[in-house]
Short mmCIF file of all heavy atoms in Angstrom, two decimals:
data_model
loop_
_atom_site.label_atom_id
_atom_site.label_comp_id
_atom_site.label_asym_id
_atom_site.label_seq_id
_atom_site.Cartn_x
_atom_site.Cartn_y
_atom_site.Cartn_z
N MET A 11 -25.07 -33.14 125.43
CA MET A 11 -25.09 -31.87 126.12
C MET A 11 -25.35 -30.77 125.10
O MET A 11 -24.72 -30.73 124.06
CB MET A 11 -23.75 -31.66 126.83
CG MET A 11 -23.66 -30.36 127.52
SD MET A 11 -22.14 -30.13 128.44
CE MET A 11 -22.09 -31.63 129.38
N SER A 12 -26.26 -29.88 125.42
CA SER A 12 -26.61 -28.82 124.47
C SER A 12 -25.93 -27.50 124.85
O SER A 12 -25.59 -27.27 126.00
CB SER A 12 -28.12 -28.65 124.40
OG SER A 12 -28.61 -28.24 125.66
N VAL A 13 -25.79 -26.66 123.86
CA VAL A 13 -25.18 -25.34 124.04
C VAL A 13 -26.26 -24.37 124.51
O VAL A 13 -27.31 -24.25 123.87
CB VAL A 13 -24.55 -24.84 122.72
CG1 VAL A 13 -23.99 -23.44 122.90
CG2 VAL A 13 -23.46 -25.80 122.26
N CYS A 14 -26.02 -23.70 125.63
CA CYS A 14 -26.98 -22.72 126.16
C CYS A 14 -26.86 -21.43 125.37
O CYS A 14 -25.75 -20.94 125.13
CB CYS A 14 -26.70 -22.46 127.64
SG CYS A 14 -26.93 -23.89 128.70
N LYS A 15 -28.02 -20.88 125.02
CA LYS A 15 -28.05 -19.63 124.25
C LYS A 15 -28.56 -18.46 125.07
O LYS A 15 -28.40 -17.31 124.66
CB LYS A 15 -28.90 -19.82 123.02
CG LYS A 15 -28.32 -20.84 122.07
CD LYS A 15 -29.18 -21.02 120.84
CE LYS A 15 -28.49 -22.04 119.95
NZ LYS A 15 -29.40 -22.95 119.31
N THR A 16 -29.19 -18.74 126.22
CA THR A 16 -29.74 -17.67 127.05
C THR A 16 -29.28 -17.84 128.50
O THR A 16 -28.88 -18.92 128.93
CB THR A 16 -31.28 -17.68 127.03
OG1 THR A 16 -31.75 -18.86 127.69
CG2 THR A 16 -31.82 -17.60 125.60
N VAL A 17 -29.40 -16.76 129.24
CA VAL A 17 -29.07 -16.79 130.66
C VAL A 17 -30.01 -17.77 131.37
O VAL A 17 -29.56 -18.56 132.21
CB VAL A 17 -29.18 -15.38 131.29
CG1 VAL A 17 -29.06 -15.45 132.79
CG2 VAL A 17 -28.13 -14.46 130.70
N ALA A 18 -31.28 -17.74 131.03
CA ALA A 18 -32.25 -18.64 131.67
C ALA A 18 -31.88 -20.10 131.46
O ALA A 18 -31.97 -20.91 132.40
CB ALA A 18 -33.65 -18.35 131.15
N GLU A 19 -31.47 -20.46 130.26
CA GLU A 19 -31.06 -21.84 129.98
C GLU A 19 -29.84 -22.23 130.82
O GLU A 19 -29.79 -23.32 131.39
CB GLU A 19 -30.70 -22.03 128.51
CG GLU A 19 -31.86 -22.03 127.56
CD GLU A 19 -31.40 -22.12 126.11
OE1 GLU A 19 -30.22 -21.90 125.79
OE2 GLU A 19 -32.27 -22.41 125.27
N ALA A 20 -28.87 -21.35 130.87
CA ALA A 20 -27.63 -21.64 131.60
C ALA A 20 -27.89 -21.77 133.10
O ALA A 20 -27.44 -22.73 133.73
CB ALA A 20 -26.60 -20.55 131.34
N VAL A 21 -28.64 -20.84 133.67
CA VAL A 21 -28.93 -20.88 135.10
C VAL A 21 -29.77 -22.11 135.44
O VAL A 21 -29.51 -22.78 136.45
CB VAL A 21 -29.60 -19.57 135.56
CG1 VAL A 21 -30.12 -19.69 136.99
CG2 VAL A 21 -28.62 -18.40 135.44
N ALA A 22 -30.74 -22.43 134.62
CA ALA A 22 -31.56 -23.63 134.86
C ALA A 22 -30.70 -24.88 134.83
O ALA A 22 -30.89 -25.79 135.65
CB ALA A 22 -32.69 -23.71 133.84
N SER A 23 -29.77 -24.95 133.91
CA SER A 23 -28.87 -26.09 133.81
C SER A 23 -28.02 -26.23 135.07
O SER A 23 -27.85 -27.33 135.60
CB SER A 23 -27.98 -25.92 132.58
OG SER A 23 -27.04 -26.95 132.49
N ILE A 24 -27.54 -25.13 135.57
CA ILE A 24 -26.71 -25.13 136.79
C ILE A 24 -27.55 -25.54 137.99
O ILE A 24 -27.17 -26.43 138.75
CB ILE A 24 -26.08 -23.74 137.01
CG1 ILE A 24 -25.09 -23.41 135.90
CG2 ILE A 24 -25.42 -23.65 138.39
CD1 ILE A 24 -24.75 -21.94 135.78
N GLN A 25 -28.68 -24.89 138.16
CA GLN A 25 -29.51 -25.14 139.34
C GLN A 25 -30.10 -26.54 139.38
O GLN A 25 -30.30 -27.10 140.45
CB GLN A 25 -30.61 -24.09 139.43
CG GLN A 25 -30.08 -22.71 139.74
CD GLN A 25 -31.14 -21.64 139.73
OE1 GLN A 25 -32.22 -21.80 139.15
NE2 GLN A 25 -30.85 -20.52 140.37
N SER A 26 -30.37 -27.11 138.23
CA SER A 26 -31.00 -28.43 138.20
C SER A 26 -29.99 -29.58 138.31
O SER A 26 -30.39 -30.72 138.54
CB SER A 26 -31.82 -28.61 136.92
OG SER A 26 -30.98 -28.65 135.78
N PHE A 27 -28.70 -29.28 138.18
CA PHE A 27 -27.69 -30.33 138.24
C PHE A 27 -27.52 -30.81 139.67
O PHE A 27 -27.31 -30.02 140.59
CB PHE A 27 -26.35 -29.82 137.69
CG PHE A 27 -25.29 -30.88 137.63
CD1 PHE A 27 -25.30 -31.81 136.61
CD2 PHE A 27 -24.31 -30.95 138.60
CE1 PHE A 27 -24.33 -32.80 136.55
CE2 PHE A 27 -23.34 -31.93 138.56
CZ PHE A 27 -23.35 -32.86 137.53
N ASP A 28 -27.60 -32.12 139.85
CA ASP A 28 -27.47 -32.72 141.18
C ASP A 28 -26.31 -33.70 141.16
O ASP A 28 -26.49 -34.90 140.99
CB ASP A 28 -28.76 -33.42 141.58
CG ASP A 28 -28.74 -33.91 143.00
OD1 ASP A 28 -28.07 -33.28 143.83
OD2 ASP A 28 -29.38 -34.94 143.28
N GLY A 29 -25.11 -33.16 141.29
CA GLY A 29 -23.92 -33.99 141.24
C GLY A 29 -22.72 -33.18 141.67
O GLY A 29 -22.85 -32.08 142.21
N GLN A 30 -21.56 -33.72 141.43
CA GLN A 30 -20.30 -33.08 141.80
C GLN A 30 -19.91 -32.02 140.77
O GLN A 30 -20.19 -32.17 139.57
CB GLN A 30 -19.19 -34.12 141.91
CG GLN A 30 -19.44 -35.16 142.97
CD GLN A 30 -19.50 -34.53 144.36
OE1 GLN A 30 -18.66 -33.71 144.73
NE2 GLN A 30 -20.50 -34.92 145.13
N ALA A 31 -19.22 -30.99 141.23
CA ALA A 31 -18.77 -29.91 140.35
C ALA A 31 -17.94 -30.46 139.20
O ALA A 31 -18.08 -30.01 138.05
CB ALA A 31 -17.95 -28.89 141.14
N GLU A 32 -17.10 -31.44 139.47
CA GLU A 32 -16.20 -32.00 138.46
C GLU A 32 -16.96 -32.72 137.34
O GLU A 32 -16.42 -32.93 136.26
CB GLU A 32 -15.21 -32.98 139.11
CG GLU A 32 -14.25 -32.32 140.08
CD GLU A 32 -14.85 -32.10 141.48
OE1 GLU A 32 -15.93 -32.66 141.78
OE2 GLU A 32 -14.25 -31.33 142.25
N ASP A 33 -18.21 -33.07 137.60
CA ASP A 33 -19.02 -33.78 136.60
C ASP A 33 -19.89 -32.85 135.77
O ASP A 33 -20.57 -33.31 134.85
CB ASP A 33 -19.91 -34.82 137.29
CG ASP A 33 -19.10 -35.87 138.02
OD1 ASP A 33 -18.00 -36.22 137.54
OD2 ASP A 33 -19.55 -36.34 139.08
N PHE A 34 -19.88 -31.58 136.10
CA PHE A 34 -20.72 -30.61 135.39
C PHE A 34 -19.93 -29.89 134.32
O PHE A 34 -18.80 -29.46 134.56
CB PHE A 34 -21.30 -29.59 136.37
CG PHE A 34 -22.22 -28.60 135.74
CD1 PHE A 34 -23.49 -28.97 135.36
CD2 PHE A 34 -21.80 -27.30 135.51
CE1 PHE A 34 -24.35 -28.06 134.76
CE2 PHE A 34 -22.65 -26.38 134.92
CZ PHE A 34 -23.92 -26.76 134.54
N GLU A 35 -20.51 -29.77 133.15
CA GLU A 35 -19.91 -29.01 132.05
C GLU A 35 -20.96 -28.05 131.51
O GLU A 35 -22.13 -28.41 131.40
CB GLU A 35 -19.45 -29.95 130.94
CG GLU A 35 -18.40 -30.92 131.40
CD GLU A 35 -18.01 -31.91 130.31
OE1 GLU A 35 -18.46 -31.75 129.16
OE2 GLU A 35 -17.27 -32.84 130.62
N LEU A 36 -20.55 -26.85 131.20
CA LEU A 36 -21.46 -25.84 130.69
C LEU A 36 -20.94 -25.35 129.34
O LEU A 36 -19.78 -24.95 129.22
CB LEU A 36 -21.55 -24.66 131.67
CG LEU A 36 -22.54 -23.57 131.34
CD1 LEU A 36 -23.97 -24.11 131.33
CD2 LEU A 36 -22.41 -22.43 132.34
N LEU A 37 -21.80 -25.41 128.34
CA LEU A 37 -21.47 -24.93 127.01
C LEU A 37 -22.28 -23.67 126.75
O LEU A 37 -23.51 -23.68 126.84
CB LEU A 37 -21.81 -25.98 125.96
CG LEU A 37 -21.23 -27.37 126.18
CD1 LEU A 37 -21.69 -28.31 125.08
CD2 LEU A 37 -19.73 -27.33 126.25
N LEU A 38 -21.60 -22.56 126.46
CA LEU A 38 -22.26 -21.29 126.19
C LEU A 38 -21.91 -20.81 124.79
O LEU A 38 -20.72 -20.72 124.45
CB LEU A 38 -21.81 -20.24 127.21
CG LEU A 38 -22.12 -20.55 128.68
CD1 LEU A 38 -21.52 -19.48 129.58
CD2 LEU A 38 -23.61 -20.68 128.90
N CYS A 39 -22.94 -20.49 124.01
CA CYS A 39 -22.70 -20.05 122.63
C CYS A 39 -22.02 -18.68 122.62
O CYS A 39 -22.11 -17.91 123.58
CB CYS A 39 -24.00 -20.03 121.84
SG CYS A 39 -25.14 -18.74 122.30
N GLU A 40 -21.34 -18.40 121.55
CA GLU A 40 -20.59 -17.14 121.44
C GLU A 40 -21.50 -15.92 121.56
O GLU A 40 -21.10 -14.90 122.13
CB GLU A 40 -19.83 -17.08 120.11
CG GLU A 40 -18.56 -17.89 120.12
CD GLU A 40 -17.58 -17.45 121.19
OE1 GLU A 40 -17.38 -16.24 121.41
OE2 GLU A 40 -17.01 -18.34 121.85
N SER A 41 -22.73 -16.00 121.07
CA SER A 41 -23.65 -14.86 121.15
C SER A 41 -24.08 -14.56 122.58
O SER A 41 -24.64 -13.50 122.86
CB SER A 41 -24.87 -15.10 120.26
OG SER A 41 -25.61 -16.22 120.72
N PHE A 42 -23.81 -15.47 123.49
CA PHE A 42 -24.15 -15.31 124.90
C PHE A 42 -23.34 -14.19 125.55
O PHE A 42 -23.79 -13.53 126.48
CB PHE A 42 -23.88 -16.64 125.63
CG PHE A 42 -24.21 -16.63 127.08
CD1 PHE A 42 -25.48 -16.98 127.52
CD2 PHE A 42 -23.26 -16.29 128.03
CE1 PHE A 42 -25.80 -16.98 128.87
CE2 PHE A 42 -23.56 -16.29 129.37
CZ PHE A 42 -24.82 -16.63 129.79
N PHE A 43 -22.14 -13.96 125.07
CA PHE A 43 -21.20 -13.04 125.71
C PHE A 43 -21.40 -11.61 125.25
O PHE A 43 -21.01 -11.23 124.16
CB PHE A 43 -19.76 -13.52 125.46
CG PHE A 43 -19.51 -14.86 126.06
CD1 PHE A 43 -19.68 -16.01 125.30
CD2 PHE A 43 -19.19 -14.98 127.40
CE1 PHE A 43 -19.48 -17.26 125.86
CE2 PHE A 43 -19.00 -16.23 127.97
CZ PHE A 43 -19.16 -17.37 127.19
N ASP A 44 -22.03 -10.82 126.13
CA ASP A 44 -22.29 -9.41 125.83
C ASP A 44 -21.06 -8.57 126.16
O ASP A 44 -20.21 -9.00 126.94
CB ASP A 44 -23.51 -8.93 126.63
CG ASP A 44 -23.30 -9.06 128.13
OD1 ASP A 44 -23.33 -10.19 128.65
OD2 ASP A 44 -23.10 -8.01 128.78
N PRO A 45 -20.94 -7.39 125.57
CA PRO A 45 -19.74 -6.57 125.76
C PRO A 45 -19.46 -6.17 127.21
O PRO A 45 -18.32 -5.98 127.60
CB PRO A 45 -20.01 -5.32 124.91
CG PRO A 45 -21.08 -5.71 123.96
CD PRO A 45 -21.87 -6.80 124.61
N VAL A 46 -20.49 -6.04 128.02
CA VAL A 46 -20.32 -5.60 129.40
C VAL A 46 -20.07 -6.78 130.34
O VAL A 46 -19.49 -6.62 131.41
CB VAL A 46 -21.56 -4.79 129.86
CG1 VAL A 46 -21.42 -4.32 131.30
CG2 VAL A 46 -21.79 -3.61 128.95
N GLY A 47 -20.49 -7.97 129.97
CA GLY A 47 -20.28 -9.14 130.80
C GLY A 47 -21.40 -9.45 131.78
O GLY A 47 -21.21 -10.21 132.72
N VAL A 48 -22.56 -8.88 131.54
CA VAL A 48 -23.69 -9.09 132.44
C VAL A 48 -24.12 -10.56 132.45
O VAL A 48 -24.33 -11.15 133.50
CB VAL A 48 -24.88 -8.18 132.07
CG1 VAL A 48 -26.13 -8.52 132.87
CG2 VAL A 48 -24.50 -6.73 132.26
N ASN A 49 -24.25 -11.15 131.27
CA ASN A 49 -24.72 -12.55 131.18
C ASN A 49 -23.81 -13.51 131.94
O ASN A 49 -24.27 -14.33 132.72
CB ASN A 49 -24.85 -12.98 129.73
CG ASN A 49 -25.95 -12.26 129.00
OD1 ASN A 49 -26.83 -11.67 129.61
ND2 ASN A 49 -25.90 -12.29 127.68
N ILE A 50 -22.52 -13.41 131.72
CA ILE A 50 -21.60 -14.33 132.39
C ILE A 50 -21.54 -14.04 133.89
O ILE A 50 -21.31 -14.96 134.69
CB ILE A 50 -20.19 -14.32 131.74
CG1 ILE A 50 -19.38 -15.56 132.16
CG2 ILE A 50 -19.45 -13.05 132.02
CD1 ILE A 50 -19.93 -16.87 131.73
N SER A 51 -21.78 -12.81 134.31
CA SER A 51 -21.82 -12.49 135.74
C SER A 51 -22.98 -13.20 136.42
O SER A 51 -22.83 -13.73 137.53
CB SER A 51 -21.97 -10.98 135.95
OG SER A 51 -20.83 -10.31 135.49
N ILE A 52 -24.13 -13.24 135.77
CA ILE A 52 -25.30 -13.93 136.33
C ILE A 52 -25.02 -15.43 136.43
O ILE A 52 -25.34 -16.06 137.44
CB ILE A 52 -26.55 -13.64 135.48
CG1 ILE A 52 -26.91 -12.15 135.58
CG2 ILE A 52 -27.72 -14.52 135.92
CD1 ILE A 52 -27.94 -11.69 134.58
N VAL A 53 -24.40 -15.99 135.41
CA VAL A 53 -24.04 -17.41 135.42
C VAL A 53 -23.02 -17.70 136.52
O VAL A 53 -23.13 -18.68 137.25
CB VAL A 53 -23.53 -17.86 134.03
CG1 VAL A 53 -22.89 -19.22 134.09
CG2 VAL A 53 -24.66 -17.84 133.02
N THR A 54 -22.04 -16.83 136.66
CA THR A 54 -21.03 -17.00 137.69
C THR A 54 -21.65 -16.96 139.08
O THR A 54 -21.28 -17.76 139.96
CB THR A 54 -19.92 -15.94 137.56
OG1 THR A 54 -19.32 -16.07 136.27
CG2 THR A 54 -18.85 -16.11 138.63
N ASP A 55 -22.61 -16.08 139.30
CA ASP A 55 -23.31 -16.04 140.59
C ASP A 55 -24.00 -17.38 140.87
O ASP A 55 -23.94 -17.88 142.00
CB ASP A 55 -24.35 -14.92 140.62
CG ASP A 55 -23.74 -13.54 140.78
OD1 ASP A 55 -22.55 -13.45 141.14
OD2 ASP A 55 -24.46 -12.55 140.55
N ALA A 56 -24.63 -17.97 139.86
CA ALA A 56 -25.29 -19.27 140.04
C ALA A 56 -24.28 -20.36 140.37
O ALA A 56 -24.54 -21.24 141.19
CB ALA A 56 -26.11 -19.63 138.80
N ILE A 57 -23.12 -20.30 139.72
CA ILE A 57 -22.05 -21.28 139.99
C ILE A 57 -21.55 -21.13 141.43
O ILE A 57 -21.39 -22.12 142.16
CB ILE A 57 -20.89 -21.10 138.99
CG1 ILE A 57 -21.31 -21.57 137.59
CG2 ILE A 57 -19.62 -21.79 139.46
CD1 ILE A 57 -21.58 -23.06 137.47
N LEU A 58 -21.32 -19.90 141.87
CA LEU A 58 -20.82 -19.66 143.22
C LEU A 58 -21.85 -20.07 144.28
O LEU A 58 -21.47 -20.55 145.35
CB LEU A 58 -20.43 -18.19 143.38
CG LEU A 58 -19.24 -17.74 142.53
CD1 LEU A 58 -19.03 -16.23 142.68
CD2 LEU A 58 -17.98 -18.50 142.88
N GLU A 59 -23.13 -19.90 143.98
CA GLU A 59 -24.19 -20.34 144.90
C GLU A 59 -24.14 -21.85 145.13
O GLU A 59 -24.54 -22.33 146.19
CB GLU A 59 -25.56 -19.94 144.37
CG GLU A 59 -25.87 -18.47 144.53
CD GLU A 59 -27.22 -18.08 143.95
OE1 GLU A 59 -28.06 -18.97 143.71
OE2 GLU A 59 -27.43 -16.87 143.73
N LYS A 60 -23.67 -22.61 144.15
CA LYS A 60 -23.55 -24.06 144.29
C LYS A 60 -22.30 -24.44 145.11
O LYS A 60 -22.13 -25.59 145.45
CB LYS A 60 -23.41 -24.73 142.92
CG LYS A 60 -24.60 -24.60 142.00
CD LYS A 60 -25.68 -25.60 142.28
CE LYS A 60 -25.47 -26.92 141.62
NZ LYS A 60 -26.66 -27.78 141.71
N GLY A 61 -21.44 -23.46 145.39
CA GLY A 61 -20.20 -23.74 146.11
C GLY A 61 -19.09 -24.20 145.17
O GLY A 61 -18.15 -24.86 145.60
N TRP A 62 -19.21 -23.84 143.91
CA TRP A 62 -18.23 -24.22 142.90
C TRP A 62 -17.40 -23.02 142.48
O TRP A 62 -17.78 -21.88 142.69
CB TRP A 62 -18.92 -24.77 141.66
CG TRP A 62 -19.78 -25.97 141.85
CD1 TRP A 62 -19.85 -26.78 142.95
CD2 TRP A 62 -20.71 -26.48 140.91
NE1 TRP A 62 -20.76 -27.77 142.74
CE2 TRP A 62 -21.30 -27.62 141.49
CE3 TRP A 62 -21.11 -26.11 139.64
CZ2 TRP A 62 -22.27 -28.38 140.85
CZ3 TRP A 62 -22.07 -26.87 138.99
CH2 TRP A 62 -22.63 -27.99 139.59
N MET A 63 -16.30 -23.32 141.83
CA MET A 63 -15.45 -22.30 141.23
C MET A 63 -15.10 -22.73 139.82
O MET A 63 -14.99 -23.93 139.55
CB MET A 63 -14.16 -22.13 142.04
CG MET A 63 -14.38 -21.55 143.41
SD MET A 63 -12.83 -21.16 144.22
CE MET A 63 -12.13 -20.00 143.09
N PRO A 64 -14.90 -21.76 138.92
CA PRO A 64 -14.47 -22.12 137.57
C PRO A 64 -13.12 -22.84 137.61
O PRO A 64 -12.24 -22.49 138.41
CB PRO A 64 -14.34 -20.78 136.86
CG PRO A 64 -15.20 -19.85 137.64
CD PRO A 64 -15.11 -20.33 139.06
N LEU A 65 -12.97 -23.85 136.78
CA LEU A 65 -11.71 -24.58 136.68
C LEU A 65 -11.02 -24.27 135.36
O LEU A 65 -9.87 -23.89 135.33
CB LEU A 65 -11.96 -26.09 136.79
CG LEU A 65 -10.74 -26.99 136.62
CD1 LEU A 65 -9.73 -26.73 137.73
CD2 LEU A 65 -11.17 -28.45 136.62
N LYS A 66 -11.78 -24.41 134.26
CA LYS A 66 -11.16 -24.22 132.95
C LYS A 66 -12.22 -23.81 131.94
O LYS A 66 -13.38 -24.18 132.05
CB LYS A 66 -10.53 -25.55 132.52
CG LYS A 66 -9.78 -25.52 131.22
CD LYS A 66 -8.99 -26.79 130.97
CE LYS A 66 -9.88 -27.99 130.82
NZ LYS A 66 -9.18 -29.20 130.35
N VAL A 67 -11.79 -23.02 130.97
CA VAL A 67 -12.66 -22.67 129.84
C VAL A 67 -11.88 -22.94 128.56
O VAL A 67 -10.69 -22.61 128.48
CB VAL A 67 -13.15 -21.21 129.91
CG1 VAL A 67 -12.01 -20.23 129.89
CG2 VAL A 67 -14.12 -20.92 128.79
N GLU A 68 -12.54 -23.56 127.62
CA GLU A 68 -11.94 -23.84 126.32
C GLU A 68 -12.79 -23.22 125.22
O GLU A 68 -14.00 -23.35 125.24
CB GLU A 68 -11.86 -25.35 126.08
CG GLU A 68 -10.94 -26.08 127.00
CD GLU A 68 -10.94 -27.58 126.75
OE1 GLU A 68 -11.50 -28.03 125.74
OE2 GLU A 68 -10.37 -28.31 127.58
N GLN A 69 -12.12 -22.57 124.30
CA GLN A 69 -12.81 -22.03 123.13
C GLN A 69 -13.01 -23.17 122.14
O GLN A 69 -12.07 -23.88 121.79
CB GLN A 69 -11.98 -20.92 122.48
CG GLN A 69 -12.62 -20.28 121.29
CD GLN A 69 -13.86 -19.49 121.67
OE1 GLN A 69 -13.85 -18.72 122.62
NE2 GLN A 69 -14.93 -19.69 120.93
N ARG A 70 -14.24 -23.35 121.72
CA ARG A 70 -14.57 -24.37 120.72
C ARG A 70 -15.26 -23.68 119.57
O ARG A 70 -15.52 -22.49 119.60
CB ARG A 70 -15.47 -25.45 121.34
CG ARG A 70 -14.89 -26.09 122.61
CD ARG A 70 -14.53 -27.52 122.39
NE ARG A 70 -13.88 -28.12 123.54
CZ ARG A 70 -14.39 -29.06 124.30
NH1 ARG A 70 -15.60 -29.53 124.05
NH2 ARG A 70 -13.71 -29.56 125.30
N SER A 71 -15.58 -24.43 118.56
CA SER A 71 -16.23 -23.87 117.37
C SER A 71 -17.65 -23.40 117.72
O SER A 71 -18.55 -24.20 117.91
CB SER A 71 -16.28 -24.92 116.27
OG SER A 71 -16.91 -24.39 115.12
N GLY A 72 -17.82 -22.09 117.84
CA GLY A 72 -19.13 -21.51 118.09
C GLY A 72 -19.57 -21.43 119.54
O GLY A 72 -20.62 -20.90 119.83
N HIS A 73 -18.77 -21.96 120.46
CA HIS A 73 -19.14 -21.89 121.87
C HIS A 73 -17.90 -22.00 122.76
O HIS A 73 -16.82 -22.29 122.28
CB HIS A 73 -20.15 -22.99 122.23
CG HIS A 73 -19.59 -24.37 122.19
ND1 HIS A 73 -19.48 -25.10 121.03
CD2 HIS A 73 -19.12 -25.16 123.18
CE1 HIS A 73 -18.95 -26.29 121.32
NE2 HIS A 73 -18.73 -26.34 122.61
N ARG A 74 -18.12 -21.75 124.04
CA ARG A 74 -17.07 -21.93 125.04
C ARG A 74 -17.51 -23.04 125.99
O ARG A 74 -18.68 -23.13 126.36
CB ARG A 74 -16.83 -20.64 125.82
CG ARG A 74 -16.30 -19.54 124.92
CD ARG A 74 -16.03 -18.28 125.68
NE ARG A 74 -15.87 -17.18 124.74
CZ ARG A 74 -15.72 -15.92 125.10
NH1 ARG A 74 -15.69 -15.59 126.38
NH2 ARG A 74 -15.60 -14.98 124.19
N HIS A 75 -16.56 -23.86 126.38
CA HIS A 75 -16.80 -25.03 127.22
C HIS A 75 -16.19 -24.77 128.60
O HIS A 75 -14.98 -24.61 128.72
CB HIS A 75 -16.16 -26.25 126.56
CG HIS A 75 -16.30 -27.50 127.32
ND1 HIS A 75 -15.30 -28.44 127.39
CD2 HIS A 75 -17.32 -28.01 128.05
CE1 HIS A 75 -15.70 -29.45 128.12
NE2 HIS A 75 -16.92 -29.21 128.55
N PHE A 76 -17.04 -24.71 129.62
CA PHE A 76 -16.62 -24.41 130.99
C PHE A 76 -16.66 -25.66 131.86
O PHE A 76 -17.61 -26.44 131.78
CB PHE A 76 -17.55 -23.37 131.62
CG PHE A 76 -17.44 -22.01 131.01
CD1 PHE A 76 -18.14 -21.70 129.85
CD2 PHE A 76 -16.66 -21.03 131.58
CE1 PHE A 76 -18.05 -20.44 129.27
CE2 PHE A 76 -16.57 -19.76 131.02
CZ PHE A 76 -17.27 -19.48 129.86
N THR A 77 -15.64 -25.84 132.70
CA THR A 77 -15.63 -26.89 133.70
C THR A 77 -15.41 -26.24 135.07
O THR A 77 -14.90 -25.12 135.16
CB THR A 77 -14.56 -27.96 133.43
OG1 THR A 77 -13.29 -27.32 133.31
CG2 THR A 77 -14.86 -28.72 132.15
N TYR A 78 -15.77 -26.98 136.12
CA TYR A 78 -15.79 -26.41 137.47
C TYR A 78 -15.17 -27.37 138.48
O TYR A 78 -14.97 -28.54 138.22
CB TYR A 78 -17.24 -26.08 137.85
CG TYR A 78 -17.83 -25.09 136.90
CD1 TYR A 78 -18.55 -25.51 135.78
CD2 TYR A 78 -17.63 -23.72 137.07
CE1 TYR A 78 -19.05 -24.59 134.87
CE2 TYR A 78 -18.13 -22.81 136.17
CZ TYR A 78 -18.84 -23.25 135.07
OH TYR A 78 -19.32 -22.34 134.16
N GLN A 79 -14.92 -26.82 139.67
CA GLN A 79 -14.42 -27.59 140.80
C GLN A 79 -15.08 -27.05 142.06
O GLN A 79 -15.62 -25.95 142.07
CB GLN A 79 -12.90 -27.48 140.90
CG GLN A 79 -12.42 -26.08 141.18
CD GLN A 79 -10.92 -25.97 141.17
OE1 GLN A 79 -10.22 -26.96 141.08
NE2 GLN A 79 -10.40 -24.75 141.25
N ASN A 80 -15.05 -27.84 143.13
CA ASN A 80 -15.57 -27.36 144.40
C ASN A 80 -14.69 -26.23 144.93
O ASN A 80 -13.47 -26.28 144.77
CB ASN A 80 -15.62 -28.49 145.42
CG ASN A 80 -16.70 -29.49 145.11
OD1 ASN A 80 -17.79 -29.13 144.70
ND2 ASN A 80 -16.40 -30.76 145.28
N ALA A 81 -15.33 -25.25 145.54
CA ALA A 81 -14.58 -24.15 146.14
C ALA A 81 -13.83 -24.67 147.36
O ALA A 81 -14.33 -25.55 148.06
CB ALA A 81 -15.53 -23.03 146.54
N PRO A 82 -12.62 -24.15 147.60
CA PRO A 82 -11.88 -24.59 148.79
C PRO A 82 -12.62 -24.19 150.06
O PRO A 82 -13.32 -23.17 150.09
CB PRO A 82 -10.54 -23.88 148.67
CG PRO A 82 -10.74 -22.78 147.70
CD PRO A 82 -11.92 -23.15 146.85
N ASP A 83 -12.45 -24.98 151.09
CA ASP A 83 -13.11 -24.66 152.39
C ASP A 83 -12.49 -23.48 153.06
O ASP A 83 -11.39 -23.15 152.98
CB ASP A 83 -13.04 -25.87 153.32
CG ASP A 83 -13.93 -26.99 152.80
OD1 ASP A 83 -14.90 -26.70 152.11
OD2 ASP A 83 -13.62 -28.15 153.11
#
């Protein structure tokens, strides 16, 4: 799994994934996070469009590791 450095990479990774939310992991490099939060907002919109919700985020060396779950009905 590679670390996404751009919004386009992250959104493409989300949209192209064809599986369960619990099986998807997203790695975002530290430089991805802008002071206003625009980049992560766009990624969050793509996640919500899939019907998923954030489950957990872990800080790792040079990136953040995100996991997801299905949104409750």
Side-chain angles (χ1 to χ4, degrees):
M11 177 176 310
S12 62
V13 177
C14 296
K15 295 180 179 141
T16 68
V17 171
E19 287 176 344
V21 170
S23 176
I24 294 162
Q25 291 176 340
S26 67
F27 184 78
D28 187 30
Q30 298 297 314
E32 295 82 12
D33 299 326
F34 183 74
E35 298 177 7
L36 185 63
L37 307 178
L38 300 175
C39 71
E40 281 301 317
S41 63
F42 181 89
F43 298 93
D44 60 287
V46 180
V48 172
N49 293 342
I50 197 64
S51 294
I52 294 168
V53 168
T54 301
D55 285 346
I57 289 294
L58 294 175
E59 285 178 17
K60 296 278 275 191
W62 300 348
M63 292 188 60
L65 176 63
K66 183 171 65 170
V67 61
E68 294 178 10
Q69 181 68 46
R70 305 248 175 112
S71 180
H73 69 278
R74 295 181 195 175
H75 179 218
F76 292 83
T77 55
Y78 300 92
Q79 64 185 353
N80 288 320
D83 291 333

